Each structure stands twice: as C-alpha cells, then as structure tokens.
Amino acid sequence: MFDLLFLVFLSPLIGFVILAFGRDKISENLAAVIGVGSVGISAVLTALIDIQFLNNPPAGGAYTQLLWTWIDVGQFTPKFSLRLDGLSLTMMSVITGVGFMIHLFASWYMRGDDSFGRFFSYMNLFVTSMLLLVLGDNLLLLYFGWEGVGLASYLLIGFWYKDAANGAAARKAFVVTRVGDTFMAIGLFLLFRDLGTLEIQPLMAAAPDYYAAHPGITTIALLLLGGAVGKSAQLPLQTWLPDAMAGPTPVSALIHAATMVTAGVYLIARTHVLFELSPFALQMVGLTGAVTLLIAGFTALTQTDIKRVLAYSTMSQIGYMFLALGAGAWSAAIFHLMTHAFFKALLFLSSGSVILACHHEQDMFRMGGLRKHIPFVFACMLIGTLALTALPFTSGYYSKDEILNEAYLNGHTTLWLAGIVGAFLTAVYSFRLIFITFFGPERWRTPVHHHGHDAGHHHGLGPKEVPHGARTLDHHIPLAVLMVLAIVGGFIHPPLAGVLPEPHHGEGGEHLPELVEYLPLIVTLVGIALSWFLFLKAPSIPKALANNPITRPIERFWHSAFGFDWLYDKLFVKTFLGIVYLNRKDGFDVAIMSVTSPLKYLNGLFAKTQNGQIRWYAASVACGAVVVIALVALS
C-alpha cells in the first residue's frame, strides 16, 4: 500500500482539475460525486496505509516515495518526494478522514448554490495543498503546499464575493498570512545558505553540528515561528481568523479543524531539531501559545455570533498546541491537534445546521430554546462542547490534560498556569454558547437577518432539523461519525515514537501532585457552573455588567479582540496611506517632471504650427527658404 501513497494527494487534485475546468457543464449531483468522492478515495487509501503502517511498519519507521527531481540547478536539486512516518501519517489521516466528513456535509449544506461546482473545486484544492504540505520530504515542497493552502483559503473565504465584506475578509486573510509566509521564506533561504539543502532529514541531521559552531539558529527558528503564527492565527498575526468566518460554514470547519490552522503546529513539530537548538525560540513558541489562548478566551466570552465564538475557540486551542510545543510536550501537541480536529469539525458543522435551521441567523441572542426543535444537532453541539471543555470520557479530556501535565512535569509552571486559566475560560464561553442558543426563551420568532447563499428561504418558519428537506444522510452521517470520534478519539494514540522527542521531566520525575492532577477538572466544572448561573439563571447580571460604565469599556476591549485590528490600522494601514499621500509630489516625481514639462511645453508650441491653413504653410516654407539662403550666403 505504501506505493500508492502518491494517489492520496493525486485523487483530490484530479477532482479539482475536473471541477475547475468543467464546473459550468457539470450537474450538481455529478459535482458532489467528484468533489466528495475524490476525497473519499484519499480517505480509504489512507485507512489502508494506516493499517499496513501499524501492522507492518517500513524499515526505520519511515517510507520515502521519490516521484521525480523537481529542480536541478547546480547543487540545488530538490525532489518531488513524499515521506511517510508517524507524524505525516497522523496528519494525513486527520486531513482525509475529517476532510471527507466535511465534504460530505458540504454536499448537503451547499445544495442550491449557483456556484456548487466552483465551491468543491476550491475545497479539493485545499485538501490537495494540505496533503502536499504534510507529505513533502523537503521544505520547498512543504512551502509549495503551504502557499497552496493560502490560495485556497483566499478563494473559499471570499467564495460569496458579490458581498464586498466577504472579499475584504479574504484579502485580509491572504495579506496577513503572507506576512508570516515572508518570514518563513527568509528562514528557508538562510537554512539553504548554511546547510546547502532543504531536504528535511539531511537538514535535521546536519543542523546540530553546524549550529554548535555558528550562530544564527535563533534567527532562523524565530523566522520559522513567524510563518507558523501567521498560518495558525497566533499572536501577533491572529487578526485574520475571525474574519475568515465570511466563507460558508464547511469552509470554516475545514480551515479550523483539518487543514490550515494546524499547519503551523506541524511545521514546528517537523523542524523540532532547530527549535531545540534555540531555547529562546522554543520559549517564545510556548509564550506565544499561552498569551494567544488567554486573549482568545477572553474575547470569546463577549462574542454574539455563533461562528465567531468557535473561531476564537480555535485560536485558543491552537494556543494550547503551541504551549505544548514550547513546553517540550511534542507528542501531546499533535495528540491535541488530532482530537481537536474531531470535536471542532463537529462544532462547526453543527453550527452550520443551527444557522440554516434559523434561516441564516448567526446571532445567538436571536435563537434560544432550540434543543426542542433540533434535538440531534443539539446533541452534537453538546458532545462537541463537552470535548472542547475537556470533561472526562471525551477526547479533549485526554489530550488537553496530557498537555497540562507534561508542561508541569517539564518545569514550565507559568505555561501550566496559563493553561489552567484557559481551561476555566473555555468552560465559561463554551457553555455560554450552549445555554444561550439551546436553552432559555425562544427568541427566534422575531424578525431575522438573512445571510448566505440562499438567504430569504424559509422566512417566517420555525427551526427545522434539516431545512433542505431531502438528503438527510448527507447531514446526519458526518455529524454522527464526528460525534463518536469526539468521544472515543482520546483512545487513538498517534504513532509518534521515534519521530518526535520524548518529554524531559524535571526533578520530580513522573510524580504529579494530586491538586495539579485534578485542578483542570475542578476549574472546568466551576466555569460550567458559573456559565449556567450567569447565562441561564441570572441573565440580568451579564446585561448589567455590559451596561455598567465601569465594566463596559472592559467588555468592549475584549469584544474587539484586545484592539489589535484598531492598532494595526493605526500603525500600518493609516501610516502607509499617509506616506502615499505625502508621496504624491515627492522629489522623484519633481525631477521627472522637470524634464518632461519643458518638452511637453515645446511640443505644444510646435503643435500650434499644424493649423491646416495653406497660407500659413506657404509663408512658413518661404521663411524657411530665406533662412536657408541667408545661412548659405553667410557661409
């Protein structure tokens, strides 16, 4: 089965090509078959490769498939080759497995859209790019997939491009992530300059000896971190992710659960040798994750859009993964990446069902009491939320607790404490969403705002479990499968032994104090209880706090995501526009105009001589002849 590895990314690539060139001629049903089926083939192949890898692993624990030599210029000869080991196998399984469920759900969600085929062509491109990113055996191929993911995200976030706001959100995501990509590209240039290769395994083998005698590894590691924070929406390049909710809900699920935002975590894990050589860079990875998860947690507390709550939740959970990487809990970070894909895909797809059931309403405060009307979706949202808050017997419990425990045992007490506070915030904002949306008074009977591809349908009707009516299996199966994985996913342990370093515990060894062991669960239960009290039993309290002159500025500050958009607008956008304004008459323009203006004036004078009058032309010829004769006579 290892020889069929190339088909895993080739299948969705073929689907993309067919849909891209034939989307206007392909029926909706055929487009769904191609779009969903191509990813389904990849998922089946991945499952078969998983079985063989676990039962009969390749020699050395890794398999490399060389397809062709990509570039051959001097000593620069990167190859188009794929590498299969425990890390890439885990990522590939998440991308194809969860990606297939998202595609299947999207075949229901997007029914009736005028650009159904175009949508699935972009989705297939997204999956293809992400597979190239994680399977690439050299950093150039990884970067190729990295940029492909960026392109696909731009196309999907701005999918409904007729709305100017969606186009602006897509451009914002593209530009902000390009900042990180530029840092990463510079880092790759420096690596090639120093080590003469971008092949990952030779590069990782040579790095310890070379950088032991030469400085510069910290700079390179920080540049790679810059690329990672851009793609994974971490501080300070996190501002694009909430605006990415402009795309259809399955796009949000694909970006947040299976593909784009996990790329930064994968990059750092794959190049862990470089970060281990620079303790400062590794410390910055953990600090970045800790601060981001706290900022995102406080921001999620104040959001009213159901998708934006989940968006900030993703930012926070990716922060946990960065925290784990910085704390040396490498395997725990990838473990949480996998379980997060299960429950976050479930939450986003379920939110899409809620939005359609409420006729494209996304404001939680215009919903309420929905558990009676859409019980299956409510069950899915509840299970996903239980996993997100890491309650026992859910997948999130095992992976998040492993991160916190490893951080404490490895001596990173500050990071551990940030994770504890983040667990409390997660419990409060997650169950705030549940209590406001599915409990309390039914507020959905009031006039609704319409958004999305078929806005205006079902106006005036009550919530329906499957508002599109037909094709309920396309809706139920993905949610049911993801709901099961959100529960049992914690028992699936990625085969990362030998690929990622083992944690280095401090003086206490494996001993974990009892309070430290149970504190995450305690603060989570306290957070759930507080959320129940504030948003279900005493909703007047948060309303009073929001209108209080003392607490209202804090609430507005949190709601604005700590003002980063405002800050960047003042620092960069307004500054750049000011420079452009001043540059309208700069010295360079004046210098050019000093040459062109006299020539333009002379041209105007000569143009006046061409007036079409015969007498004027005859007089001019006569005067010219006199001048010529005079010059000849004088000479």
Side-chain angles (χ1 to χ4, degrees), residues 232 234 256 261 265 289 292-294 296-297 310-324 333 336-337 339-341 343-344 347 387-390 396 399-400 403 422-423 425-427 429-430:
S232 292
Q234 297 292 285
H256 288 246
V261 296
V265 179
T292 304
L293 76 87
L294 293 177
L310 296 178
Y312 284 108
S313 167
T314 296
M315 194 185 299
S316 181
Q317 295 303 305
I318 299 294
Y320 269 105
M321 299 172 205
F322 272 67
L323 184 152
H336 193 57
L337 184 155
T339 60
H340 174 263
F343 60 74
K344 187 51 62 67
L347 285 170
L388 173 61
T389 53
S399 58
K400 184 183 285 186
I403 289 175
L425 295 174
T426 302
Y429 72 68
S430 298

Side-chain angles (χ1 to χ4, degrees), residues 105 108-110 160 244-253 304-311 346-368 370 373-374 377-378 381 433 437-438 444 448-468 475 479:
F105 182 91
W108 167 81
Y109 186 89
M110 297 298 293
W160 287 318
M245 297 302 99
T249 301
V251 173
S252 304
T304 59
D305 186 316
I306 188 172
K307 287 177 65 176
R308 289 180 75 89
V309 173
L310 296 178
L346 175 64
L347 285 170
F348 263 111
L349 297 185
S350 299
S351 72
S353 295
V354 171
I355 292 168
L356 285 191
C358 294
H359 324 310
H360 295 277
E361 180 59 62
Q362 296 184 195
D363 188 342
M364 297 185 302
F365 288 91
R366 301 181 68 86
M367 298 177 184
L370 291 179
H373 301 275
I374 48 175
V377 174
F378 166 64
M381 286 289 289
L433 184 153
T437 303
F438 294 98
W444 46 265
V448 297
H449 301 288
H450 299 299
H451 308 280
H453 64 283
D454 55 352
H457 292 190
H458 320 294
H459 181 61
L461 303 178
K464 291 184 177 182
E465 187 98 74
V466 187
H468 285 352
H475 172 268
L479 295 180

Side-chain angles (χ1 to χ4, degrees), residues 83-165:
R83 180 178 175 85
L84 182 69
D85 57 19
L87 178 56
S88 58
L89 181 71
T90 301
M91 297 295 298
M92 183 175 69
S93 301
V94 169
I95 296 164
T96 58
V98 177
F100 171 69
M101 293 301 160
I102 295 172
H103 274 68
L104 183 58
F105 182 91
S107 69
W108 167 81
Y109 186 89
M110 297 298 293
R111 286 284 165 176
D113 192 278
D114 294 336
S115 301
F116 189 86
R118 178 167 64 90
F119 174 81
F120 275 101
S121 69
Y122 295 164
M123 292 281 278
N124 278 194
L125 177 62
F126 212 144
V127 171
T128 302
S129 300
M130 192 66 189
L131 287 170
L132 282 177
L133 192 159
V134 301
L135 290 175
D137 193 30
N138 63 77
L139 291 176
L140 184 62
L141 185 55
L142 183 153
Y143 193 75
F144 182 73
W146 189 276
E147 292 302 306
V149 169
L151 171 62
S153 68
Y154 167 77
L155 296 172
L156 285 167
I157 294 169
F159 178 74
W160 287 318
Y161 59 87
K162 293 182 180 178
D163 186 338

Side-chain angles (χ1 to χ4, degrees), residues 331-339 398-399 402 489-490 492-494 496:
S331 296
I334 301 302
F335 185 25
H336 193 57
L337 184 155
M338 181 190 72
T339 60
Y398 300 99
S399 58
E402 185 173 330
I492 304 172
H493 289 280
L496 301 173

Side-chain angles (χ1 to χ4, degrees), residues 391-581:
L391 285 180
F393 310 111
T394 65
S395 60
Y397 171 77
Y398 300 99
S399 58
K400 184 183 285 186
D401 267 29
E402 185 173 330
I403 289 175
L404 295 176
N405 293 344
E406 292 292 346
Y408 185 87
L409 291 172
N410 292 351
H412 297 278
T413 309
T414 303
L415 297 183
W416 172 81
L417 184 60
I420 293 294
V421 176
F424 173 76
L425 295 174
T426 302
V428 176
Y429 72 68
S430 298
F431 274 90
R432 171 181 177 265
L433 184 153
I434 292 293
F435 293 138
I436 292 174
T437 303
F438 294 98
F439 292 85
E442 297 179 348
R443 296 175 292 269
W444 46 265
R445 294 186 185 278
T446 57
V448 297
H449 301 288
H450 299 299
H451 308 280
H453 64 283
D454 55 352
H457 292 190
H458 320 294
H459 181 61
L461 303 178
K464 291 184 177 182
E465 187 98 74
V466 187
H468 285 352
R471 308 188 64 89
T472 55
L473 289 179
D474 292 354
H475 172 268
H476 286 7
I477 290 177
L479 295 180
V481 171
L482 291 170
M483 183 163 54
V484 172
L485 290 174
I487 298 172
V488 305
F491 298 100
I492 304 172
H493 289 280
L496 301 173
V499 182
L500 296 177
E502 295 295 327
H504 303 290
H505 296 158
E507 296 179 359
E510 300 290 338
H511 176 68
L512 199 66
E514 194 169 293
L515 177 61
V516 172
E517 185 176 359
Y518 293 106
L519 191 58
L521 178 59
I522 293 172
V523 299
T524 296
L525 293 175
V526 171
I528 294 173
L530 179 62
S531 185
W532 170 81
F533 176 74
L534 290 177
F535 304 109
L536 198 58
K537 289 301 178 182
S540 59
I541 294 179
K543 291 180 181 178
L545 291 174
N547 295 320
N548 187 286
I550 298 176
T551 56
R552 179 166 176 75
I554 300 175
E555 189 270 343
R556 294 179 62 183
F557 183 62
W558 289 356
H559 187 270
S560 69
F562 286 60
F564 275 93
D565 277 314
W566 175 87
L567 177 64
Y568 291 164
D569 183 66
K570 297 296 183 183
L571 283 180
F572 301 113
V573 178
K574 291 290 176 32
T575 300
F576 182 77
L577 291 177
I579 293 172
V580 170
Y581 178 81

